[in-house]
Amino acid sequence: MSLAFDLPYFPRNGLLEEVLKVYESGFKQGVTLFAPRRQGKTSFVKHELVPAARELGWQTIYVDLWKRRGEPELALVEALEATVEQRQSGLRRKLKLKQVKAKAKGPGGEVESTMEPISHSPEGVLENRLDAALTALVGNRRTLLILDEVQALAGAKRDDFVAALRTVIQKLQGHLVVFYTGSSRDGLNSMFRLQKAPLFASAMPVHLPDLGDDFIEDRLVFLAERSQAQVNKEALERVFDDLGKTPEFLNEVILHLIIANDGNIDRAMEAWQEAHREAGAGSVLSDLRPIELAVMELLAQRDHPTVYSAEALSFVQNAVGKSEVVAAAKIQSAIKKLAKLDLVAATGRKSGDYEIDDRAVLLQLRKRWTTNG
Ligand SMILES: Nc1ncnc2c1ncn2[C@@H]1O[C@H](COP(=O)(O)OP(=O)(O)OP(=O)(O)O)[C@@H](O)[C@H]1O
Ligand SMILES: [Mg+2]
Protein backbone atom coordinates (compact mmCIF):
# COMPACT_ATOMS: atom_id res chain seq x y z
CA MET A 1 0.00 0.00 0.00
CA SER A 2 1.47 3.33 -0.86
CA LEU A 3 0.33 6.11 1.37
CA ALA A 4 -0.11 9.66 0.31
CA PHE A 5 1.40 11.08 3.46
CA ASP A 6 3.62 10.10 6.35
CA LEU A 7 2.50 10.17 9.93
CA PRO A 8 4.59 12.45 12.15
CA TYR A 9 8.09 11.31 13.03
CA PHE A 10 8.66 10.14 16.59
CA PRO A 11 12.18 10.53 18.07
CA ARG A 12 14.34 7.54 18.99
CA ASN A 13 15.04 7.92 22.63
CA GLY A 14 18.70 8.61 23.39
CA LEU A 15 20.08 7.59 20.01
CA LEU A 16 21.08 11.05 18.83
CA GLU A 17 22.91 11.78 22.09
CA GLU A 18 24.76 8.47 21.81
CA VAL A 19 25.91 9.20 18.26
CA LEU A 20 27.04 12.74 19.02
CA LYS A 21 28.90 11.55 22.08
CA VAL A 22 31.02 9.20 19.94
CA TYR A 23 31.93 12.02 17.55
CA GLU A 24 32.58 14.56 20.27
CA SER A 25 34.77 12.21 22.28
CA GLY A 26 36.89 11.57 19.18
CA PHE A 27 36.94 7.93 20.25
CA LYS A 28 35.89 6.76 16.78
CA GLN A 29 35.57 8.65 13.54
CA GLY A 30 32.62 6.56 12.40
CA VAL A 31 29.33 5.22 13.74
CA THR A 32 27.37 2.32 12.22
CA LEU A 33 23.63 1.88 12.51
CA PHE A 34 22.47 -1.45 11.14
CA ALA A 35 18.82 -2.48 11.41
CA PRO A 36 16.39 -4.41 9.21
CA ARG A 37 14.58 -2.76 6.32
CA ARG A 38 11.82 -0.21 6.94
CA GLN A 39 12.75 0.19 10.60
CA GLY A 40 13.52 3.88 10.37
CA LYS A 41 17.24 4.36 9.77
CA THR A 42 16.89 6.97 7.04
CA SER A 43 14.12 8.71 8.99
CA PHE A 44 16.43 9.03 11.98
CA VAL A 45 19.12 10.53 9.76
CA LYS A 46 16.77 13.05 8.16
CA HIS A 47 14.71 14.02 11.18
CA GLU A 48 17.31 13.96 13.93
CA LEU A 49 20.93 13.55 12.91
CA VAL A 50 21.16 16.03 10.03
CA PRO A 51 19.29 18.85 11.82
CA ALA A 52 21.43 18.36 14.95
CA ALA A 53 24.66 18.42 12.95
CA ARG A 54 23.60 21.60 11.16
CA GLU A 55 22.74 23.17 14.47
CA LEU A 56 26.32 22.45 15.55
CA GLY A 57 27.50 24.29 12.44
CA TRP A 58 28.70 21.15 10.64
CA GLN A 59 28.21 20.69 6.94
CA THR A 60 26.40 17.47 6.06
CA ILE A 61 26.74 15.30 2.98
CA TYR A 62 24.19 12.54 2.42
CA VAL A 63 24.73 9.75 -0.10
CA ASP A 64 22.25 6.91 -0.65
CA LEU A 65 24.18 3.92 -1.98
CA TRP A 66 21.09 1.78 -2.47
CA LYS A 67 19.72 3.66 -5.44
CA ARG A 68 22.60 2.55 -7.66
CA ARG A 69 23.64 -0.58 -5.86
CA GLY A 70 24.81 -2.20 -9.09
CA GLU A 71 27.67 0.31 -9.23
CA PRO A 72 28.05 1.66 -5.70
CA GLU A 73 31.62 2.94 -6.19
CA LEU A 74 30.65 5.12 -9.09
CA ALA A 75 27.48 6.20 -7.29
CA LEU A 76 29.52 7.46 -4.33
CA VAL A 77 32.17 9.22 -6.39
CA GLU A 78 29.67 10.87 -8.70
CA ALA A 79 27.49 12.02 -5.81
CA LEU A 80 30.50 13.65 -4.14
CA GLU A 81 31.65 15.24 -7.39
CA ALA A 82 28.18 16.55 -8.08
CA THR A 83 28.11 18.17 -4.64
CA VAL A 84 31.50 19.78 -5.25
CA GLU A 85 30.25 21.04 -8.60
CA GLN A 86 27.07 22.42 -7.06
CA ARG A 87 28.92 24.23 -4.30
CA GLN A 88 31.46 25.67 -6.69
CA SER A 89 28.86 27.02 -9.03
CA GLY A 90 27.06 28.51 -6.03
CA LEU A 91 30.36 30.07 -4.98
CA ARG A 92 31.03 31.30 -8.50
CA ARG A 93 27.68 33.06 -8.51
CA LYS A 94 28.47 34.69 -5.20
CA LEU A 95 31.92 35.72 -6.41
CA LYS A 96 30.52 37.25 -9.56
CA LEU A 97 28.07 39.21 -7.51
CA LYS A 98 30.88 40.42 -5.28
CA GLN A 99 32.97 41.35 -8.32
CA VAL A 100 30.13 43.35 -9.75
CA LYS A 101 29.65 45.14 -6.47
CA ALA A 102 33.40 45.73 -6.10
CA LYS A 103 33.68 47.10 -9.61
CA ALA A 104 30.82 49.40 -8.94
CA LYS A 105 32.78 50.71 -6.01
CA GLY A 106 35.70 51.61 -8.23
CA PRO A 107 39.07 50.25 -9.29
CA GLY A 108 41.22 48.16 -7.02
CA GLY A 109 38.30 46.29 -5.63
CA GLU A 110 38.69 43.11 -7.69
CA VAL A 111 37.98 39.95 -5.87
CA GLU A 112 40.43 37.17 -6.40
CA SER A 113 39.03 33.72 -6.84
CA THR A 114 40.37 31.25 -4.33
CA MET A 115 38.56 28.28 -5.79
CA GLU A 116 40.69 25.39 -6.87
CA PRO A 117 38.95 23.64 -9.69
CA ILE A 118 38.99 19.90 -9.09
CA SER A 119 39.55 17.76 -12.09
CA HIS A 120 37.25 14.84 -12.43
CA SER A 121 37.68 13.47 -15.87
CA PRO A 122 35.37 10.48 -15.98
CA GLU A 123 38.26 8.33 -17.12
CA GLY A 124 40.38 9.16 -14.05
CA VAL A 125 41.09 6.35 -11.57
CA LEU A 126 38.06 6.06 -9.33
CA GLU A 127 40.08 5.94 -6.11
CA ASN A 128 41.82 9.22 -7.03
CA ARG A 129 38.54 10.86 -7.91
CA LEU A 130 37.13 9.78 -4.54
CA ASP A 131 40.09 11.31 -2.73
CA ALA A 132 39.95 14.56 -4.71
CA ALA A 133 36.21 15.05 -4.33
CA LEU A 134 35.97 14.27 -0.62
CA THR A 135 39.06 16.33 0.19
CA ALA A 136 37.67 19.30 -1.76
CA LEU A 137 34.29 19.01 -0.09
CA VAL A 138 35.56 18.79 3.45
CA GLY A 139 38.21 21.51 3.13
CA ASN A 140 38.69 22.55 6.69
CA ARG A 141 35.07 22.50 7.70
CA ARG A 142 33.66 20.16 10.29
CA THR A 143 31.79 17.68 8.13
CA LEU A 144 29.37 14.81 8.65
CA LEU A 145 29.30 12.32 5.78
CA ILE A 146 26.32 9.95 5.78
CA LEU A 147 26.60 6.77 3.74
CA ASP A 148 23.11 5.26 3.68
CA GLU A 149 22.89 1.52 2.91
CA VAL A 150 26.65 1.21 2.94
CA GLN A 151 26.52 -2.58 2.56
CA ALA A 152 26.08 -1.92 -1.15
CA LEU A 153 29.83 -1.29 -1.10
CA ALA A 154 30.43 -4.81 0.18
CA GLY A 155 29.60 -5.90 -3.34
CA ALA A 156 32.03 -3.38 -4.84
CA LYS A 157 33.76 -4.91 -7.81
CA ARG A 158 37.00 -3.07 -7.12
CA ASP A 159 38.90 -4.57 -4.24
CA ASP A 160 40.81 -1.42 -3.47
CA PHE A 161 37.91 0.96 -3.41
CA VAL A 162 36.76 0.52 0.18
CA ALA A 163 40.36 0.51 1.37
CA ALA A 164 40.86 3.80 -0.47
CA LEU A 165 37.71 5.18 1.17
CA ARG A 166 39.09 4.29 4.56
CA THR A 167 42.39 5.96 3.74
CA VAL A 168 40.85 9.25 2.66
CA ILE A 169 38.50 9.26 5.66
CA GLN A 170 41.48 8.76 7.95
CA LYS A 171 43.38 11.50 6.20
CA LEU A 172 40.55 13.93 6.95
CA GLN A 173 40.41 13.00 10.62
CA GLY A 174 39.78 16.01 12.82
CA HIS A 175 37.38 17.48 10.26
CA LEU A 176 35.37 14.54 9.01
CA VAL A 177 33.07 12.12 10.83
CA VAL A 178 31.05 9.41 9.11
CA PHE A 179 27.66 7.83 9.78
CA TYR A 180 27.06 4.48 8.09
CA THR A 181 23.65 2.83 7.89
CA GLY A 182 22.82 -0.55 6.51
CA SER A 183 20.18 -3.23 6.58
CA SER A 184 22.22 -6.35 5.98
CA ARG A 185 23.99 -8.01 8.83
CA ASP A 186 26.11 -10.00 6.41
CA GLY A 187 27.16 -6.68 4.94
CA LEU A 188 27.95 -5.33 8.38
CA ASN A 189 30.15 -8.31 9.15
CA SER A 190 31.97 -8.27 5.89
CA MET A 191 32.67 -4.55 6.01
CA PHE A 192 33.31 -3.77 9.66
CA ARG A 193 33.58 -6.76 11.94
CA LEU A 194 35.86 -9.37 10.42
CA GLN A 195 39.58 -8.98 10.95
CA LYS A 196 40.19 -8.62 7.24
CA ALA A 197 37.21 -6.33 6.65
CA PRO A 198 38.23 -3.08 4.94
CA LEU A 199 36.64 -0.82 7.55
CA PHE A 200 37.42 -3.14 10.45
CA ALA A 201 37.10 -1.46 13.84
CA SER A 202 36.94 2.01 12.29
CA ALA A 203 33.42 2.66 13.54
CA MET A 204 31.40 2.27 16.68
CA PRO A 205 28.15 0.32 16.31
CA VAL A 206 24.99 1.82 17.79
CA HIS A 207 21.67 0.07 18.15
CA LEU A 208 18.38 1.48 16.88
CA PRO A 209 16.28 1.55 20.05
CA ASP A 210 12.77 0.13 19.70
CA LEU A 211 9.95 2.62 19.83
CA GLY A 212 7.98 2.06 23.01
CA ASP A 213 5.09 3.09 25.15
CA ASP A 214 5.34 6.80 24.44
CA PHE A 215 5.22 6.14 20.68
CA ILE A 216 2.02 4.11 21.07
CA GLU A 217 0.51 6.90 23.14
CA ASP A 218 1.51 9.45 20.53
CA ARG A 219 -0.19 7.43 17.77
CA LEU A 220 -3.33 7.12 19.94
CA VAL A 221 -3.47 10.90 20.26
CA PHE A 222 -3.03 11.25 16.50
CA LEU A 223 -5.86 8.79 15.99
CA ALA A 224 -8.15 10.45 18.51
CA GLU A 225 -7.68 13.82 16.83
CA ARG A 226 -8.77 12.46 13.49
CA SER A 227 -11.40 9.84 14.12
CA GLN A 228 -14.09 8.62 16.46
CA ALA A 229 -12.28 5.32 16.81
CA GLN A 230 -11.83 4.13 20.37
CA VAL A 231 -8.75 1.98 20.50
CA ASN A 232 -7.44 0.17 23.48
CA LYS A 233 -3.77 0.86 24.22
CA GLU A 234 -2.87 -2.75 25.05
CA ALA A 235 -4.40 -3.92 21.78
CA LEU A 236 -2.36 -1.41 19.81
CA GLU A 237 0.77 -2.45 21.68
CA ARG A 238 0.14 -6.08 20.78
CA VAL A 239 -0.30 -5.16 17.14
CA PHE A 240 2.95 -3.18 17.17
CA ASP A 241 4.69 -6.23 18.61
CA ASP A 242 3.25 -8.50 15.90
CA LEU A 243 4.46 -6.01 13.35
CA GLY A 244 8.01 -6.47 14.59
CA LYS A 245 7.90 -2.96 16.06
CA THR A 246 8.13 -1.55 12.55
CA PRO A 247 6.83 2.03 12.73
CA GLU A 248 5.90 2.18 9.06
CA PHE A 249 3.53 -0.75 9.46
CA LEU A 250 1.92 0.65 12.60
CA ASN A 251 1.44 3.95 10.78
CA GLU A 252 -0.35 2.07 8.01
CA VAL A 253 -2.61 0.28 10.48
CA ILE A 254 -3.42 3.64 12.08
CA LEU A 255 -4.45 4.96 8.67
CA HIS A 256 -6.71 1.93 8.18
CA LEU A 257 -8.26 2.72 11.56
CA ILE A 258 -8.81 6.34 10.55
CA ILE A 259 -10.44 5.32 7.28
CA ALA A 260 -12.71 2.74 8.94
CA ASN A 261 -13.43 5.13 11.81
CA ASP A 262 -14.65 2.27 13.99
CA GLY A 263 -11.77 1.32 16.28
CA ASN A 264 -11.89 -2.29 15.12
CA ILE A 265 -8.23 -3.15 15.35
CA ASP A 266 -8.55 -6.76 14.15
CA ARG A 267 -10.25 -5.59 11.01
CA ALA A 268 -7.60 -2.90 10.49
CA MET A 269 -4.93 -5.61 10.76
CA GLU A 270 -6.83 -7.69 8.22
CA ALA A 271 -6.94 -4.74 5.85
CA TRP A 272 -3.24 -4.16 6.37
CA GLN A 273 -2.40 -7.79 5.59
CA GLU A 274 -4.67 -7.76 2.58
CA ALA A 275 -2.92 -4.67 1.22
CA HIS A 276 0.47 -6.32 1.65
CA ARG A 277 -0.75 -9.55 0.06
CA GLU A 278 -1.80 -7.54 -2.93
CA ALA A 279 1.59 -5.85 -2.94
CA GLY A 280 3.19 -9.25 -3.40
CA ALA A 281 4.01 -10.62 0.04
CA GLY A 282 1.98 -13.76 -0.73
CA SER A 283 2.99 -14.33 -4.31
CA VAL A 284 6.66 -14.53 -3.35
CA LEU A 285 5.80 -17.54 -1.24
CA SER A 286 3.84 -19.33 -3.92
CA ASP A 287 6.88 -19.24 -6.20
CA LEU A 288 9.10 -21.12 -3.74
CA ARG A 289 10.11 -24.77 -3.95
CA PRO A 290 8.70 -27.01 -1.17
CA ILE A 291 11.97 -27.16 0.74
CA GLU A 292 12.40 -23.38 0.56
CA LEU A 293 8.87 -22.88 1.79
CA ALA A 294 9.49 -25.38 4.60
CA VAL A 295 12.56 -23.39 5.69
CA MET A 296 10.43 -20.23 5.68
CA GLU A 297 7.84 -22.00 7.82
CA LEU A 298 10.56 -23.05 10.21
CA LEU A 299 11.80 -19.47 10.53
CA ALA A 300 8.26 -18.20 11.09
CA GLN A 301 8.04 -20.19 14.34
CA ARG A 302 8.65 -18.20 17.47
CA ASP A 303 11.94 -19.30 19.10
CA HIS A 304 12.83 -21.49 16.13
CA PRO A 305 16.12 -23.43 16.20
CA THR A 306 19.15 -22.62 14.02
CA VAL A 307 18.70 -23.90 10.48
CA TYR A 308 21.32 -26.68 10.54
CA SER A 309 20.28 -28.22 13.85
CA ALA A 310 18.82 -31.74 14.01
CA GLU A 311 15.54 -30.21 15.15
CA ALA A 312 15.42 -27.97 12.07
CA LEU A 313 16.27 -30.84 9.76
CA SER A 314 13.43 -32.95 11.08
CA PHE A 315 11.00 -30.01 10.92
CA VAL A 316 11.83 -29.40 7.27
CA GLN A 317 11.78 -33.13 6.47
CA ASN A 318 8.33 -33.38 8.01
CA ALA A 319 7.07 -30.43 6.04
CA VAL A 320 8.28 -31.60 2.62
CA GLY A 321 7.21 -35.23 3.16
CA LYS A 322 8.83 -38.41 1.95
CA SER A 323 9.28 -37.35 -1.64
CA GLU A 324 12.56 -35.59 -0.89
CA VAL A 325 15.35 -36.48 1.51
CA VAL A 326 16.44 -33.38 3.40
CA ALA A 327 20.12 -32.96 4.23
CA ALA A 328 22.07 -30.00 5.59
CA ALA A 329 23.46 -29.22 2.13
CA LYS A 330 19.93 -28.86 0.76
CA ILE A 331 18.96 -26.54 3.58
CA GLN A 332 22.06 -24.54 2.86
CA SER A 333 21.17 -24.03 -0.78
CA ALA A 334 17.58 -23.17 0.17
CA ILE A 335 18.88 -20.54 2.60
CA LYS A 336 21.16 -19.13 -0.08
CA LYS A 337 18.27 -18.75 -2.47
CA LEU A 338 16.00 -17.20 0.18
CA ALA A 339 18.72 -14.73 1.17
CA LYS A 340 19.17 -13.78 -2.45
CA LEU A 341 15.46 -13.05 -2.65
CA ASP A 342 15.85 -10.85 0.48
CA LEU A 343 13.39 -13.08 2.31
CA VAL A 344 15.75 -14.10 5.09
CA ALA A 345 18.89 -12.69 6.66
CA ALA A 346 21.50 -14.00 9.06
CA THR A 347 21.12 -12.46 12.49
CA GLY A 348 24.87 -12.55 13.08
CA ARG A 349 24.21 -13.72 16.64
CA LYS A 350 25.31 -17.31 16.06
CA SER A 351 26.02 -19.41 13.03
CA GLY A 352 22.96 -20.78 11.23
CA ASP A 353 20.73 -18.24 12.97
CA TYR A 354 18.47 -16.72 10.33
CA GLU A 355 15.29 -14.69 10.45
CA ILE A 356 12.58 -13.38 8.18
CA ASP A 357 12.94 -9.64 7.75
CA ASP A 358 9.65 -8.88 6.05
CA ARG A 359 6.94 -8.70 8.70
CA ALA A 360 4.12 -9.03 6.18
CA VAL A 361 5.57 -12.34 4.97
CA LEU A 362 6.23 -13.49 8.52
CA LEU A 363 2.68 -12.79 9.67
CA GLN A 364 1.28 -14.44 6.60
CA LEU A 365 3.25 -17.62 7.33
CA ARG A 366 2.16 -17.61 10.95
CA LYS A 367 -1.41 -17.24 9.88
CA ARG A 368 -1.15 -20.14 7.42
CA TRP A 369 0.38 -22.17 10.18
CA THR A 370 -2.48 -21.55 12.59
CA THR A 371 -5.16 -22.17 9.97
CA ASN A 372 -3.54 -25.25 8.35
CA GLY A 373 -1.41 -26.69 11.11
N1 LIG B 1 10.68 7.24 14.36
C1 LIG B 1 9.66 7.14 13.51
N2 LIG B 1 8.46 7.69 13.79
C2 LIG B 1 7.43 7.56 12.94
N3 LIG B 1 7.49 6.93 11.77
C3 LIG B 1 8.65 6.36 11.42
C4 LIG B 1 9.79 6.44 12.26
N4 LIG B 1 10.81 5.79 11.66
C5 LIG B 1 10.32 5.32 10.51
N5 LIG B 1 9.03 5.66 10.34
C6 LIG B 1 8.18 5.30 9.20
O1 LIG B 1 8.73 4.20 8.53
C7 LIG B 1 9.02 4.51 7.17
C8 LIG B 1 10.29 3.81 6.76
O2 LIG B 1 11.37 4.35 7.46
P1 LIG B 1 12.81 4.53 6.81
O3 LIG B 1 12.72 4.72 5.36
O4 LIG B 1 13.50 5.55 7.63
O5 LIG B 1 13.41 3.09 7.11
P2 LIG B 1 14.82 2.51 6.70
O6 LIG B 1 15.28 1.72 7.88
O7 LIG B 1 15.70 3.57 6.20
O8 LIG B 1 14.39 1.51 5.56
P3 LIG B 1 15.22 0.97 4.31
O9 LIG B 1 16.10 -0.10 4.84
O10 LIG B 1 14.15 0.41 3.43
O11 LIG B 1 15.96 2.13 3.71
C9 LIG B 1 9.08 6.02 7.12
O12 LIG B 1 8.72 6.49 5.86
C10 LIG B 1 8.08 6.42 8.19
O13 LIG B 1 6.78 6.36 7.66
MG1 LIG C 1 16.69 3.83 4.40
Side-chain angles (χ1 to χ4, degrees):
M1 180 175 60
S2 82
L3 296 164
F5 72 100
D6 252 0
L7 265 67
Y9 178 80
F10 194 83
R12 297 277 176 170
N13 230 335
L15 182 57
L16 178 65
E17 292 73 14
E18 195 184 347
V19 174
L20 293 179
K21 212 181 273 167
V22 175
Y23 294 147
E24 277 160 6
S25 69
F27 174 57
K28 291 272 176 188
Q29 204 184 348
V31 171
T32 57
L33 175 67
F34 274 67
R37 310 255 11 216
R38 317 311 302 150
Q39 286 289 347
K41 302 175 294 290
T42 306
S43 298
F44 167 73
V45 165
K46 300 228 150 133
H47 292 275
E48 296 194 64
L49 186 58
V50 166
R54 294 210 172 128
E55 198 126 299
L56 288 166
W58 304 358
Q59 69 169 333
T60 59
I61 306 165
Y62 172 87
V63 183
D64 179 2
L65 291 165
W66 188 251
K67 276 200 207 125
R68 285 172 64 192
R69 55 191 174 281
E71 40 183 10
E73 307 98 312
L74 202 58
L76 174 56
V77 170
E78 287 184 356
L80 295 175
E81 287 176 348
T83 316
V84 175
E85 188 62 39
Q86 229 176 26
R87 297 202 178 159
Q88 288 193 339
S89 65
L91 201 59
R92 240 176 263 132
R93 257 201 312 279
K94 272 192 205 148
L95 279 170
K96 270 198 191 132
L97 204 67
K98 264 192 182 170
Q99 277 173 348
V100 172
K101 282 184 184 158
K103 272 189 182 148
K105 271 191 203 152
E110 285 290 85
V111 179
E112 201 187 333
S113 167
T114 51
M115 280 184 311
E116 302 239 345
I118 74 147
S119 65
H120 54 265
S121 56
E123 60 282 2
V125 180
L126 214 50
E127 285 78 8
N128 296 345
R129 286 169 60 189
L130 171 72
D131 182 276
L134 196 55
T135 306
L137 269 179
V138 171
N140 49 20
R141 290 184 62 188
R142 185 86 169 144
T143 304
L144 168 67
L145 171 66
I146 297 143
L147 298 179
D148 206 357
E149 300 292 341
V150 71
Q151 81 272 359
L153 280 175
K157 285 167 214 83
R158 306 167 67 100
D159 283 347
D160 296 338
F161 187 81
V162 185
L165 175 64
R166 179 176 187 148
T167 306
V168 60
I169 288 172
Q170 267 171 351
K171 182 184 84 175
L172 297 169
Q173 197 158 23
H175 297 298
L176 177 68
V177 291
V178 189
F179 191 75
Y180 306 91
T181 86
S183 49
S184 136
R185 274 146 297 195
D186 287 347
L188 170 68
N189 285 333
S190 69
M191 294 193 71
F192 292 93
R193 281 208 190 135
L194 305 175
Q195 279 286 339
K196 57 181 193 313
L199 294 167
F200 177 68
S202 71
M204 173 97 171
V206 295
H207 175 74
L208 187 70
D210 276 343
L211 291 167
D213 226 33
D214 39 1
F215 173 61
I216 300 288
E217 270 168 21
D218 180 83
R219 297 299 103 152
L220 283 173
V221 170
F222 184 89
L223 190 62
E225 281 167 359
R226 284 160 188 82
S227 80
Q228 313 291 321
Q230 293 287 323
V231 177
N232 171 303
K233 186 176 163 204
E234 281 70 42
L236 198 62
E237 255 165 2
R238 214 169 320 115
V239 161
F240 190 41
D241 235 29
D242 282 344
L243 293 169
K245 297 199 187 291
T246 309
E248 179 172 23
F249 295 162
L250 191 73
N251 289 347
E252 289 171 355
V253 172
I254 297 279
L255 286 176
H256 283 298
L257 281 166
I258 291 175
I259 294 163
N261 203 25
D262 63 0
N264 186 333
I265 196 145
D266 290 336
R267 208 171 319 142
M269 267 305 264
E270 275 296 323
W272 179 84
Q273 288 207 11
E274 186 53 41
H276 277 263
R277 239 190 320 273
E278 275 166 22
S283 68
V284 191
L285 293 178
S286 58
D287 289 342
L288 295 179
R289 295 182 46 229
I291 186 164
E292 292 155 3
L293 187 60
V295 171
M296 289 296 283
E297 272 165 358
L298 170 76
L299 296 180
Q301 310 292 307
R302 288 178 207 273
D303 304 318
H304 57 79
T306 56
V307 295
Y308 304 121
S309 62
E311 205 186 335
L313 238 68
S314 84
F315 179 99
V316 174
Q317 182 68 74
N318 246 330
V320 296
K322 291 205 176 68
S323 57
E324 189 172 356
V325 180
V326 175
K330 282 198 174 168
I331 296 204
Q332 191 173 20
S333 54
I335 282 282
K336 245 191 181 157
K337 161 94 175 288
L338 295 171
K340 213 168 160 186
L341 291 170
D342 274 338
L343 284 170
V344 305
T347 65
R349 286 190 290 265
K350 52 190 171 191
S351 110
D353 196 19
Y354 283 81
E355 66 189 10
I356 297 170
D357 266 348
D358 188 325
R359 288 320 276 201
V361 172
L362 178 63
L363 290 176
Q364 181 134 4
L365 282 161
R366 282 196 184 150
K367 200 164 163 201
R368 274 161 57 142
W369 189 255
T370 45
T371 36
N372 304 337

